[in-house]
Amino acid sequence: MNETIIVIGSNGQIGTELVMNLRAKYGNDQVIASDIRNTDHPIINEGPFELVNVLDKDNLHKVFEKHRPTQVYLLAAILSAVGEQKPKLAWDLNMTGLIHILDFAVEFKTAKVFWPSSIAVFGPHSPKENTPQFCIMDPNSVYGFSKLAGERWCEYYFTKYGLDVRSIRYPGLIGWRSEPGGGTTDYAVNIFHKALANGKYESFLSADTALPMMYMEDAIRATISLMDAPAENLTIRSSYNLGGISFTPAQLSAEIKKHIPNFEISYSEHDPRQAIADSWPKSIDDTYAQNDWDWKQKFDLSSMTADMLKNLKGSIHKTI
């Protein structure tokens, strides 16, 4: 069967790499990149591209009607830090956009839909260590409770309409190909850019704030692996926990210093992102992903740091 795949939000941190990997797997013409704006990124010119605003229902319907996708990846979202600055917009984009996609996927008989959730669905009363798949979930950010509500909608559409929706609760994502998109875990990307640019970084999170993270290569591999898994193997239709690597800014800094000995890190005080981070898990139990679709992580803190620095060298300018 020939696949026709639409990636909505293709210009973002996940989207750019996902489009590249999907095109390598299925062919350039079979993967339609789409976003609310054009960019000069090569994915725009290497295959089909559509301008898409997930809040524009009429235009979105026309895109579904034109391409009749067999798979849709919905990545368009407002992330945690930006969401606290624009809460109503974040809720509208994150929720209404998802409902539009789910409705059109049912209407056009799309075989599979991927929608990303996040560790932000957990809250102050969720277990902090090895946070399980099922537990108390009381998120205190707009991003968090929009993701939790989205999980319920995904499972509802699977149960009520038989729509094959699949999802991952991503930890913080670290990659070198694109800029971060306004999340609480962004420090773990910015720190590499600053380390190479001027050897210094001021972290907006405290030295001992442990959070689950994942290297982008692992995140993309997990996403495609989940979408390739036989439907009968999947027991979670809300969103799968994904563990990643748990570390603090101090531990990441120490690892960077092995490559850049003069690197210095400092810590700001009273940043609003600290409160968000404090409500999130320190580590994640992803046993269901391991058992249901044979998930195995490849990168640890050491190998991720080495790969980030290797790929960023030569592309970072002193003006950053």
Side-chain angles (χ1 to χ4, degrees):
M1 174 183 175
N2 287 331
E3 299 282 358
T4 302
I5 301 169
I6 297 179
V7 179
I8 299 173
S10 62
N11 296 352
Q13 187 186 21
I14 302 172
T16 51
E17 301 209 28
L18 184 61
V19 168
M20 291 167 60
N21 280 267
L22 288 172
R23 284 178 173 168
K25 180 179 175 68
Y26 294 104
N28 284 7
D29 293 339
Q30 305 307 118
V31 181
I32 300 100
S34 66
D35 206 285
I36 198 169
R37 66 193 187 282
N38 277 305
T39 70
D40 58 358
H41 195 280
I43 64 170
I44 303 296
N45 301 315
E46 291 172 353
F49 178 82
E50 295 278 0
L51 281 173
V52 169
N53 179 349
V54 291
L55 298 180
D56 186 343
K57 193 172 183 179
D58 291 339
N59 178 61
L60 194 58
H61 189 272
K62 290 176 183 176
V63 170
F64 267 77
E65 195 168 37
K66 175 181 177 181
H67 294 286
R68 305 274 170 165
T70 58
Q71 295 185 36
V72 174
Y73 292 75
L74 172 58
L75 306 176
I78 291 180
L79 303 185
S80 57
V82 177
E84 292 307 292
Q85 299 166 17
K86 303 174 181 179
K88 292 180 181 178
L89 176 61
W91 175 261
D92 193 25
L93 178 65
N94 295 354
M95 283 293 91
T96 306
L98 172 60
I99 297 298
H100 286 168
I101 295 300
L102 295 176
D103 282 341
F104 292 149
V106 171
E107 178 182 346
F108 289 94
K109 297 179 172 57
T110 300
K112 286 186 277 191
V113 174
F114 178 83
W115 174 80
S117 188
S118 164
I119 60 168
V121 296
F122 301 110
H125 296 94
S126 305
K128 291 291 188 287
E129 303 285 351
N130 293 317
T131 306
Q133 178 71 42
F134 300 104
C135 64
I136 292 173
M137 302 166 77
D138 58 342
N140 57 8
S141 67
V142 176
Y143 180 64
F145 55 73
S146 71
K147 286 298 184 182
L148 182 54
E151 288 189 12
R152 308 321 310 150
W153 278 115
C154 288
E155 189 166 59
Y156 181 81
Y157 270 72
F158 170 74
T159 303
K160 188 172 180 66
Y161 302 109
L163 181 62
D164 189 352
V165 190
R166 307 181 181 200
S167 179
I168 286 171
R169 291 170 182 159
Y170 285 125
L173 298 181
I174 302 171
W176 58 271
R177 282 192 174 92
S178 61
E179 295 296 320
T184 299
T185 56
D186 281 358
Y187 91 86
V189 178
N190 292 334
I191 191 172
F192 288 100
H193 289 260
K194 297 292 188 180
L196 287 169
N198 52 36
K200 296 180 180 180
Y201 178 67
E202 183 180 30
S203 172
F204 53 77
L205 298 183
S206 66
D208 59 351
T209 301
L211 289 171
M213 302 281 188
M214 179 167 284
Y215 198 38
M216 188 61 72
E217 183 176 318
D218 272 343
I220 299 299
R221 186 168 52 85
T223 303
I224 295 175
S225 295
L226 172 60
M227 290 295 274
D228 285 346
E232 60 269 21
N233 291 2
L234 304 182
T235 61
I236 303 297
R237 288 298 182 165
S238 52
S239 191
Y240 277 93
N241 272 8
L242 210 61
I245 322 158
S246 289
F247 56 81
T248 67
Q251 289 171 324
L252 179 55
S253 173
E255 196 64 38
I256 290 173
K257 284 175 72 69
K258 294 178 182 178
H259 302 266
I260 307 174
N262 294 328
F263 174 68
E264 298 176 3
I265 188 169
S266 59
Y267 301 92
S268 59
E269 296 182 1
H270 310 303
D271 191 288
R273 288 166 287 191
Q274 183 66 53
I276 298 174
D278 288 341
S279 72
W280 288 357
K282 298 178 184 293
S283 58
I284 298 287
D285 179 354
D286 58 11
T287 302
Y288 279 86
Q290 295 175 41
N291 292 340
D292 288 3
W293 40 284
D294 200 29
W295 165 246
K296 290 183 180 65
Q297 177 183 309
K298 176 182 175 183
F299 284 87
D300 59 14
L301 178 58
S302 176
S303 57
M304 178 202 72
T305 301
D307 202 64
M308 275 290 288
L309 291 172
K310 179 187 75 174
N311 283 295
L312 282 175
K313 278 180 181 175
S315 64
I316 304 300
H317 303 285
K318 297 295 183 180
T319 54
I320 293 178

